[in-house]
């Protein structure tokens, strides 16, 4: 024993040093963590005291919030999901849908042959044309449902140049065809509209770059009216066309087809099919959880506890979905991913709680069940809080994005993770309590009513192989200097390579990517790229009249608007973003009709300048042209009149085809260029604007990359601040944050090498990866700060304490998506790639890089850990909360637990015969004194911050005992090595 003066001096010196070390951050974090630990201890004690009531309350609360799901409604409109509500295209889209709603369905074929201009190819194309016309569904044929242009059913094919006249087509020689196609055809004689031969045939062969001598492909486009009266028949007609195309034709090498219904059939069909794979993955996770949580004996299997853990995910979904839907938060198809996100995070939290339960010391395991649960939740609660709060905040930041679908997903995710946090701390702990009551009552793990009276647990099932592996094999191996160097080199290499990929990750979105690669629809898209690589999208300039009563475009200056309209049409034709010969406008034929007609009733309404002399005259003449002339009737779909007398022009549009744009940036540039043309026309009251359905995607792409980087940056900042407050050490928080950053870089960089681009789905998944990446490193960092020892011991102990839970959480997430690795659906394959890379790189950085870097530059443990150990040396008890003082008391002379044993039910009294301890009784209280100088224990995660009365052998007393048991059997049987000496 040392001198009292020396002990006082050491204690005073230590206390002063500790005070000097404390900073503002330390005081704040001490308050936060101390308050959290005290709160979790109280919560654990309450839940363990009333487990059944807790379960009932959880069911009731989640059920109450789940009522909000009664108004479940899934939004599938891209404009509502992915386009900002404040974007100009939203109002433009609404006007277009109100005035020119989609009125067509289609079936588009690409026909491939050595020379589609040959005689047999022409006959084959005409044969397909006749087969399409003869398809009959419920008494309706194509001619009954077709979309008509200039009085004819619209079928866009090279045969239209001969008006689909069978006699003429069969009489054509090859020279006749070459003569026509080489005349630079610009006008369709059948549909009275401009056309371009290069849009009708593809892979054109030319003699010395000039005369056309052949072509390898041709298009055949059938248009039907999208009418509710025969929508069912039209969809069935499309199905029959798909069958005809897939059957092929003897004189056509290959036929590719795509119809209006194809994306729903192939894209969403694959989604529904692969959802079954996700469900199977859920089952795999369930089996893994059972194997991991339980032990292989009749008492300690955890079938029902595993079910309870998965039920937590279900209750969280009910809570989050019900609350979000009650608040009107948008729900889209991508939200189907939510259960699997919550599964991965929820299972991780469950493993952390169970690992904390397993890490109770030998002495703690003799405490009453309520106190054991309180200690378990106290230790696991802070670690779970660190990851849960950072995940919630990361998604809350994502919810601030202007993209509705992404914002909605983040809101659902934040609410779901918050619910997981609450339910894991209450519902799951209550179920764990009931399960442990069953174990201690020696009831069968499956048939709970059966009691095993003389059953002996086999030695094999007593071993915790996860902790044994991390403690005795992986941890010591990782701490070898050559291994550390290799780990750091691998980390630098991986991050360096993936940083290149991250920097070069480009933005692009192609809807056909989400069609299964083995489907006929996907083959069509590839054929279109091969044979018509420069085909652009169909678009149009729409013009709306704000007040049709006062002029051409609702403006006061009628003639000025007319001339501006002419100028706009000319600029469209001259634009490099518009294909030559594809601008279809009624104005030029209308004006030509005005100046060439000989009808007196027409001529007297026209002024000397060739324009109608008044607004009223203009309206009458245009209506006459559109309704009474054959040429005008071809333009009737492009003009809308009011229901007044006389009819006035309410709106019009000018269709055209964009030139081919190879990526999203150029597509956006093309859209903005046309907007500049229309916006600068200066119509006095009306307005013109370009619009296409694809513009919705362009509008999203315009802001998507900026929004993604913004969300990642804000989420990163918030995650760092929260980990700083909850881990309570700047240096450790920075190191943990590097794990998050490195994981994000590695995930994004790997996606680049997988040819994945930035689109809506990848943006959601990258945002999600920030939250997941935190889980794999924050647990290790927080546990490291609670453990004493030298630089190499502390990482090993941290890995042994929490490593199995971290690995199990990551591996279970991987299992949930494993079956999607062979999916033909791009969307689900992308899910697998992101989750796979997050798990692999997250676990690598959390379980390899982080322990190595901490072993070199890791900070000292929390001061309270040092305080606890120093006071233990001096026979003091420090850091015990008021609640814990009610449960146990430290013996000032021996350093062991003193607890009230006056009751026959005292756990120490009842456990005395089992442990071999004697009981030293003083004034009705007792202290467990080991019958030998050494009582063994296994606790690996050090002394709890507010449980200084619990000795920690491997750091505090290691100097005084060289009898540490390393044998695996002894390591399982004996939980802790504690030297009990006088004066300690």
């Amino acid at each position: 024993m040392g001198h009292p003066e020396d002990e006082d001096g050491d204690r005073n010196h230590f206390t002063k040093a500790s005070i000097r070390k404390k900073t503002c951050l330390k005081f704040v974090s001490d308050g936060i963590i101390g308050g959290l630990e005290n709160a979790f201890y109280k919560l654990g004690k309450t839940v363990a005291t009333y487990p059944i009531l807790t379960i009932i309350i959880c069911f009731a609360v989640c059920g109450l919030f789940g009522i909000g799901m009664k108004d479940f409604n899934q939004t599938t409109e891209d404009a509502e999901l992915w386009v900002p509500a404040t974007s100009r295209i939203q109002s433009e889209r609404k006007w277009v849908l109100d005035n020119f709603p989609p009125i067509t369905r289609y079936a588009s074929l690409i026909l491939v042959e050595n020379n589609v201009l040959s005689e047999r190819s022409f006959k084959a194309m005409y044969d397909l044309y006749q087969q399409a016309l003869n398809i009959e569904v419920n008494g309706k044929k194509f001619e009954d449902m077709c979309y008509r242009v200039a009085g004819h059913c619209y079928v866009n094919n090279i045969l239209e140049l001969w008006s689909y006249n069978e006699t003429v087509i069969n009489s054509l020689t090859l020279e006749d065809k070459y003569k026509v196609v080489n005349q630079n055809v610009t006008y369709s004689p059948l549909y009275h509209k401009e056309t371009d031969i290069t849009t009708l045939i593809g892979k054109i062969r030319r003699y010395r770059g000039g005369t056309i001598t052949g072509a390898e492909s041709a298009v055949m486009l059938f248009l039907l009216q999208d009418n509710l009266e025969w929508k069912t028949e039209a969809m069935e007609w499309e199905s029959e066309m798909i069958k005809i195309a897939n059957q092929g034709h003897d004189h056509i090498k290959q036929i590719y087809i795509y119809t209006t219904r194809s994306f729903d059939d192939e894209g969403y069909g694959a989604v529904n099919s692969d959802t079954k794979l996700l469900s199977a993955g859920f089952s795999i996770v369930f089996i893994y959880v059972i194997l991991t949580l339980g032990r292989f004996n009749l008492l300690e299997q955890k079938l029902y506890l595993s079910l309870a853990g998965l039920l937590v995910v279900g209750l969280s979904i009910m809570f989050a979905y019900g609350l979000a839907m009650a608040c009107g938060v948008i729900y889209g198809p991508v939200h189907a991913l939510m259960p699997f996100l919550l599964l991965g995070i929820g299972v991780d939290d469950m493993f952390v709680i169970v690992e904390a339960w397993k890490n109770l010391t030998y002495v703690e395991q003799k405490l009453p069940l309520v106190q054991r649960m309180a200690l378990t939740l106290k230790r696991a609660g802070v670690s779970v809080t660190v990851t849960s709060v950072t995940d919630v905040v990361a998604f809350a930041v994502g919810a601030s994005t202007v993209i509705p679908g992404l914002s909605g997903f983040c809101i659902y995710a934040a609410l779901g993770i918050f619910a997981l946090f609450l339910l894991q701390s209450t519902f799951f702990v209550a179920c764990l309590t009931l399960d442990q009551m069953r174990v201690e009552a020696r009831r069968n793990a499956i048939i709970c009513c059966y009691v095993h009276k003389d059953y002996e647990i086999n030695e094999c099932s007593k071993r915790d192989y996860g902790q044994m592996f991390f403690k005795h094999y992986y941890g010591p191996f990782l701490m070898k200097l050559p291994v550390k160097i290799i780990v750091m080199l691998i980390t630098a290499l991986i991050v360096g390579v993936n940083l290149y990929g991250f920097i070069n990750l480009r933005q692009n979105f192609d809807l056909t990517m989400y069609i299964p690669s083995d489907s006929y629809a996907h083959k069509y898209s590839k054929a279109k790229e091969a044979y018509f690589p420069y085909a652009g999208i169909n678009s149009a300039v729409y013009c709306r009249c704000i007040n049709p009563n006062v002029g051409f475009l609702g403006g006061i200056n009628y003639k000025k608007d007319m001339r501006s309209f002419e100028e706009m049409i000319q600029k469209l034709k001259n634009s490099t973003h518009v294909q030559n010969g594809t601008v279809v406008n009624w104005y030029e034929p209308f004006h030509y009709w005005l100046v060439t007609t000989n009808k007196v009733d027409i001529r007297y309404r026209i002024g000397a300048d060739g324009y109608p002399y008044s607004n009223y005259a203009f309206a009458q003449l245009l209506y006459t042209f559109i309704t009474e002339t054959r040429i005008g009737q071809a333009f009737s779909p492009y003009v809308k009149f009011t229901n007044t007398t006389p009819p006035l022009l309410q709106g019009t549009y000018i269709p055209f085809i964009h030139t081919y744009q190879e990526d999203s940036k150029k597509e956006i540039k093309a859209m903005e260029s046309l907007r500049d043309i229309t916006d600068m026309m200066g119509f006095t009251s009306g307005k013109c604007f370009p619009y296409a359905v694809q513009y919705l995607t362009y509008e999203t792409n315009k802001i998507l990359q900026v929004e993604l980087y913004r969300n990642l940056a804000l989420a990163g900042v918030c995650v760092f601040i929260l980990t700083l407050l909850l881990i309570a050490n700047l240096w450790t928080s920075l190191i943990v944050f590097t794990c998050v950053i490195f994981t994000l870089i590695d995930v994004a960089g790997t996606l680049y090498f997988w040819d994945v681009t930035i689109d809506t789905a990848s943006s959601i998944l990258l945002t999600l990866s920030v939250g997941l990446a935190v889980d794999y490193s924050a647990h290790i960092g927080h546990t490291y700060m609670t453990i004493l020892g030298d630089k190499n011991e502390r990482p090993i102990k941290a890995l042994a304490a929490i490593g199995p839970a971290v690995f199990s959480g990551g591996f279970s997430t991987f299992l949930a998506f494993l079956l999607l690795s062979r999916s033909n659906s791009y969307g689900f394959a992308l899910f697998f790639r992101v989750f796979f890379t997050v798990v692999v790189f997250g676990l690598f950085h959390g379980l390899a890089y982080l322990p190595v870097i901490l072993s070199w530059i890791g900070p000292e443990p929390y001061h309270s850990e040092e305080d606890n150990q120093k006071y233990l040396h001096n026979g003091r008890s420090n850091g015990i909360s008021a609640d814990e003082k009610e449960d146990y008391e430290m013996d000032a002379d021996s350093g062991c637990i003193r607890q009230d044993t006056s009751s026959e039910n005292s756990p120490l009294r009842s456990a005395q015969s089992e442990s071999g301890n004697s009981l030293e009784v003083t004034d009705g209280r007792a202290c467990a004194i080991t019958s030998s100088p050494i009582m063994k224990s296994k606790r690996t995660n050090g002394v709890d911050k507010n449980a200084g009365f619990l000795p920690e052998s491997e750091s505090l007393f290691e100097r005084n005992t060289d009898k540490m048991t390393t044998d695996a059997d002894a390591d399982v049987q004996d939980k802790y090595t504690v030297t009990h000496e006088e004066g300690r």
Side-chain angles (χ1 to χ4, degrees):
M1 278 184 76
H3 294 288
E5 294 84 352
D6 295 337
E7 293 176 4
D8 291 339
D10 289 343
R11 181 169 64 253
N12 293 337
H13 172 75
F14 181 82
T15 304
K16 291 176 182 177
S18 297
I19 292 174
R20 283 197 303 269
K21 291 180 182 178
K22 286 196 174 183
T23 63
C24 292
L25 174 63
K26 176 60 184 169
F27 281 112
V28 172
S29 62
D30 278 352
I32 294 174
I33 293 178
L36 285 173
E37 288 182 337
N38 192 36
F40 278 116
Y41 183 85
K42 291 179 181 179
L43 178 62
K45 188 175 178 182
T46 302
V47 169
T49 304
Y50 308 103
I52 296 179
L53 178 60
T54 301
I55 291 173
I56 293 174
I57 292 174
C58 290
F59 272 117
V61 171
C62 291
L64 181 63
F65 280 98
I67 295 175
M69 295 178 65
K70 65 181 178 62
D71 297 323
F72 176 82
N73 180 43
Q74 178 172 302
T75 302
T76 57
E77 288 287 343
D78 288 344
E80 297 179 31
L81 286 170
W82 308 116
V83 181
T86 57
S87 171
R88 62 176 281 179
I89 202 171
Q90 291 286 16
S91 61
E92 293 170 351
R93 172 179 176 270
K94 184 178 184 305
W95 186 88
V96 170
L97 292 179
D98 289 342
N99 292 275
F100 296 98
I103 57 174
T104 61
R105 299 180 65 88
Y106 66 90
S108 178
L109 288 77
I110 295 178
L111 315 174
V112 178
E113 186 51 72
N114 293 330
N115 185 3
V116 293
L117 299 179
S118 66
E119 180 180 354
R120 75 170 193 168
S121 294
F122 261 46
K123 290 182 178 180
M125 285 190 284
Y126 187 80
D127 183 42
L128 285 174
Y129 171 76
Q130 286 296 327
Q131 288 186 53
L133 266 57
N134 292 330
I135 295 174
E136 184 173 347
V137 180
N138 296 332
K140 290 188 178 296
K141 293 186 176 182
F142 176 72
E143 289 187 345
D144 301 317
M145 302 179 288
C146 71
Y147 178 80
R148 296 181 180 272
V149 176
H152 301 282
C153 288
Y154 188 81
V155 182
N156 188 213
N157 179 258
I158 192 171
L159 298 183
E160 73 181 70
L161 300 181
W162 294 273
S163 301
Y164 294 101
N165 187 310
E166 182 177 9
T167 303
V168 173
I169 291 172
N170 289 334
S171 65
L172 291 173
T173 65
L174 195 59
E175 288 73 18
D176 294 333
K177 300 167 192 174
Y178 287 158
K179 182 178 180 181
V180 172
V181 298
N182 281 294
Q183 285 178 347
N184 193 23
V185 179
T186 60
Y187 196 77
S188 171
L190 183 62
Y191 303 120
H192 302 288
K193 69 179 186 67
E194 293 185 37
T195 190
D196 184 353
I197 193 65
T198 60
T199 65
L200 301 177
I201 54 177
K203 281 287 185 79
I204 298 173
R205 295 191 294 269
R206 297 178 182 270
Y207 178 72
R208 294 183 178 179
T211 305
I212 295 176
T213 60
E216 294 182 22
S217 62
V219 297
M220 183 173 283
L221 174 66
F222 296 85
L223 291 186
L224 298 92
Q225 290 189 53
D226 191 8
N227 193 319
L228 289 175
E229 180 183 347
W230 55 67
K231 185 170 184 177
T232 302
E233 287 78 5
M235 292 180 66
E236 187 60 32
W237 183 90
E238 291 172 21
S239 296
E240 292 300 318
M241 281 299 299
I242 293 171
K243 292 178 183 178
I244 291 174
N246 289 335
Q247 288 172 359
H249 194 283
D250 293 339
H251 295 160
I252 296 179
K253 186 185 297 184
Q254 188 68 52
I255 302 176
Y256 303 95
I257 187 170
Y258 193 94
T259 71
T260 304
R261 65 176 300 162
S262 293
F263 187 84
D264 288 345
D265 290 348
E266 299 297 304
Y268 290 129
V271 169
N272 295 332
S273 175
D274 286 342
T275 300
K276 298 176 183 177
L277 293 179
L278 282 173
S279 301
F282 209 107
S283 302
I284 294 175
V285 172
F286 175 57
I287 294 172
Y288 177 75
V289 170
I290 294 175
L291 296 176
T292 305
L293 291 187
R295 294 181 176 178
F296 295 98
N297 59 66
L298 298 179
L299 294 179
E300 296 177 308
Q301 296 177 39
K302 302 296 183 183
L303 173 64
Y304 299 124
L305 184 62
S306 300
L307 280 172
L310 298 184
L311 183 58
V312 165
V313 177
L315 292 174
S316 300
I317 292 172
M318 183 185 298
F319 174 91
Y321 281 31
L323 179 56
M325 289 178 183
C327 296
V329 181
I330 193 171
Y331 181 93
V334 74
H335 289 61
L337 178 66
M338 193 67 60
F340 305 95
L341 166 64
L342 298 182
L343 174 66
I345 295 176
V347 169
D348 179 53
D349 292 342
M350 179 172 59
F351 283 130
V352 170
I353 293 173
V354 172
E355 203 65 32
W357 167 260
K358 291 179 180 179
N359 286 337
L360 291 177
T361 67
Y362 180 81
V363 175
E364 290 168 338
Q365 290 181 8
K366 299 303 178 181
L367 296 173
L369 179 59
V370 170
Q371 295 168 23
R372 279 180 279 161
M373 285 298 165
L375 284 173
T376 297
L377 190 56
K378 172 185 173 182
R379 290 167 187 165
V382 175
S383 189
V384 171
T385 300
V386 171
T387 56
S388 296
V389 172
T390 50
D391 286 345
V392 169
V393 170
F395 282 110
V397 168
S400 65
T401 181
V402 297
I403 301 176
L406 179 56
S407 176
F409 180 89
C410 291
I411 291 174
Y412 278 90
L415 291 174
I417 296 171
F418 176 69
L420 274 178
F421 171 66
L422 296 180
L423 290 169
Q424 292 286 14
S425 304
T426 53
F427 181 87
F428 182 74
V429 172
C431 293
L432 180 61
T433 302
L434 293 177
D435 186 71
Q436 189 59 29
M437 291 169 64
R438 175 195 60 77
V439 172
E440 295 179 3
R442 302 186 67 79
R443 295 183 178 275
N444 187 272
I446 306 298
I447 307 173
C448 300
C449 59
Y450 182 79
V451 178
H452 296 275
K453 296 181 180 179
D454 301 319
Y455 176 71
E456 293 292 333
I457 297 176
N458 63 79
E459 291 298 321
C460 180
S461 66
K462 292 180 181 179
R463 295 186 177 95
D464 190 329
Y465 292 99
Q467 283 195 349
M468 288 172 57
F469 171 76
F470 278 99
K471 179 178 180 180
H472 296 300
Y473 301 104
Y474 178 74
F477 174 76
L478 188 64
M479 290 299 105
K480 294 180 180 179
L481 181 60
V483 176
K484 291 182 182 180
I485 295 174
I486 292 173
V487 168
M488 296 306 294
L489 289 176
I490 292 174
T491 302
L493 177 63
I494 293 175
V495 173
V497 171
N498 285 313
L499 181 61
Y500 169 82
F502 180 74
I503 293 173
N504 289 280
L505 191 63
R506 62 190 180 90
Q507 177 184 340
N508 191 34
F509 176 74
D510 183 1
L511 192 61
T512 58
M513 293 189 301
Y514 291 86
I515 300 174
S517 57
D518 60 347
S519 70
Y520 73 85
H522 190 272
K523 293 175 182 177
Y524 172 89
S525 67
K526 292 301 180 183
K528 188 174 181 180
E529 291 177 5
Y531 295 102
F532 296 92
Y534 302 109
I537 65 166
N538 292 314
S539 185
V541 168
Y542 292 83
C543 296
R544 56 186 177 187
C545 305
I546 296 177
N547 185 0
N549 291 296
V550 293
F552 170 57
L553 283 177
I556 297 173
N557 193 329
Y558 157 69
K559 290 187 177 181
K560 179 179 182 298
D561 282 344
M562 289 289 288
R563 290 187 172 89
S564 297
F565 191 69
E566 291 176 351
E567 181 184 355
M568 181 184 70
I569 293 173
Q570 193 58 45
K571 286 186 176 181
L572 285 176
K573 290 183 175 183
N574 296 335
S575 172
T576 57
H577 298 110
V578 176
Q579 287 187 20
N580 292 332
T582 63
V583 177
V584 179
N585 77 95
W586 54 264
Y587 177 74
E588 290 175 349
F590 170 62
H591 191 261
Y592 178 79
W593 175 72
L594 290 179
V595 298
T596 59
T597 183
N598 294 321
K599 292 184 179 181
V600 177
D601 60 334
I602 302 296
R603 296 294 304 171
Y604 87 89
R605 299 175 189 174
I606 303 173
D609 57 0
Y611 291 97
Y613 60 80
S614 69
N615 296 336
Y616 179 77
F618 166 78
Q620 282 188 317
L621 291 173
L622 179 59
Y623 186 77
T624 301
F625 172 73
I626 294 294
T627 59
E628 297 181 8
T629 68
R630 184 174 180 181
I631 295 177
Q633 289 173 356
F635 299 103
S636 59
Y638 312 136
V639 180
K640 183 176 182 179
F641 293 95
T642 63
N643 294 323
T644 61
T645 302
L648 301 175
L649 183 63
Q650 182 172 328
T652 182
Y653 72 96
I654 303 168
F656 61 87
I657 300 177
H658 268 290
T659 52
Y660 172 73
Q661 308 299 324
E662 60 186 17
D663 57 34
S664 292
K665 289 185 177 179
K666 292 185 177 179
E667 289 172 342
I668 295 169
K669 182 179 180 181
M671 177 182 69
E672 295 296 337
S673 172
L674 296 184
R675 284 179 172 177
D676 290 341
I677 290 175
T678 58
D679 291 347
M680 291 189 299
M681 285 299 98
F683 294 112
T684 54
S685 181
K687 180 180 180 182
C688 294
F689 57 88
Y691 175 82
V693 173
Q694 291 84 348
Y695 285 6
L696 298 171
T697 301
Y698 299 175
E699 199 71 28
T700 302
N701 285 335
K702 190 167 69 171
I703 62 169
L704 187 60
Q705 192 165 24
V706 175
E707 285 291 304
L708 172 62
Y709 291 156
R710 165 193 169 276
N711 290 341
L712 292 178
L714 289 177
V717 171
C718 292
V719 164
F720 173 71
I721 293 174
L722 287 170
T723 53
L724 179 61
L725 291 175
L726 296 174
I727 292 180
N729 184 276
L730 176 60
W731 194 235
T732 301
S733 298
L734 283 171
I735 296 173
V736 168
F737 189 61
T738 62
C739 294
V740 178
I741 297 298
F742 288 172
T743 300
L744 182 61
I745 291 173
D746 291 341
V747 171
T750 305
L751 292 183
Y752 166 79
F753 293 110
W754 259 326
D755 289 329
V756 175
T757 57
I758 296 176
D759 60 12
T760 50
S762 58
S763 295
I764 287 177
L765 292 171
L766 285 173
T767 303
L768 180 153
S769 66
V770 175
L772 292 178
V774 176
D775 295 356
Y776 303 126
S777 53
H779 290 308
I780 299 292
H782 175 260
T783 304
Y784 173 84
M785 292 302 298
T786 67
I787 291 176
L788 297 181
D790 62 31
K791 290 287 187 181
N792 285 336
E793 288 176 339
R794 291 172 65 200
I796 295 175
K797 293 176 184 177
L799 286 170
I802 202 66
V806 172
F807 176 81
S808 295
F811 190 65
S812 61
T813 302
F814 166 75
L815 289 177
F817 290 87
L818 176 62
L819 297 180
L820 294 181
S821 60
R822 304 300 298 172
S823 173
N824 289 321
S825 170
Y826 172 83
F828 280 106
L830 181 60
F831 292 162
F832 169 77
R833 290 172 178 179
V834 171
F835 277 91
F836 172 75
T837 50
V838 168
V839 169
V840 169
F841 293 123
L843 288 179
F844 173 77
H845 291 122
L847 298 179
Y849 161 78
L850 183 58
V852 168
I853 201 72
L854 288 173
S855 72
W856 279 340
I857 58 175
E860 296 299 318
Y862 292 129
H863 300 304
S864 56
E865 298 300 332
E866 300 173 359
D867 296 344
N868 287 335
Q869 295 298 342
K870 185 66 179 178
Y871 278 104
L872 281 174
H873 275 288
N874 291 283
R876 305 282 182 171
S877 173
N878 181 53
I880 306 174
S881 67
D883 296 280
E884 292 172 271
K885 287 181 179 178
E886 296 176 2
D887 298 328
Y888 5 77
E889 184 178 305
M890 172 67 77
D891 185 276
D893 295 323
S894 64
C896 61
I897 295 176
R898 285 195 349 183
Q899 184 167 3
D900 188 0
T901 56
S902 58
S903 168
E904 291 295 327
N905 297 324
S906 167
L908 289 180
R909 183 181 294 278
S910 62
Q912 187 265 346
S913 59
E914 296 181 15
S915 63
N917 294 350
S918 62
L919 293 177
E920 179 184 13
V921 181
T922 306
D923 298 329
R925 301 183 73 81
C927 183
I929 308 296
T930 56
S931 56
S932 63
I934 296 177
M935 178 175 66
K936 299 173 183 176
S937 178
K938 181 187 174 183
R939 186 176 176 216
T940 59
N941 68 333
V943 179
D944 190 86
K945 294 181 64 177
N946 290 331
F949 53 89
L950 299 176
E952 207 283 354
S953 63
E954 296 178 10
S955 58
L956 173 60
F957 300 114
E958 198 168 48
R959 296 189 305 271
N960 300 306
T961 175
D962 296 321
K963 301 179 180 180
M964 293 287 293
T965 303
T966 59
D967 182 78
D969 292 333
D971 195 29
V972 172
Q973 178 182 358
D974 301 322
K975 285 282 185 176
Y976 222 72
T977 302
V978 177
T979 300
H980 180 78
E981 297 181 2
E982 183 181 0
R984 303 195 66 173

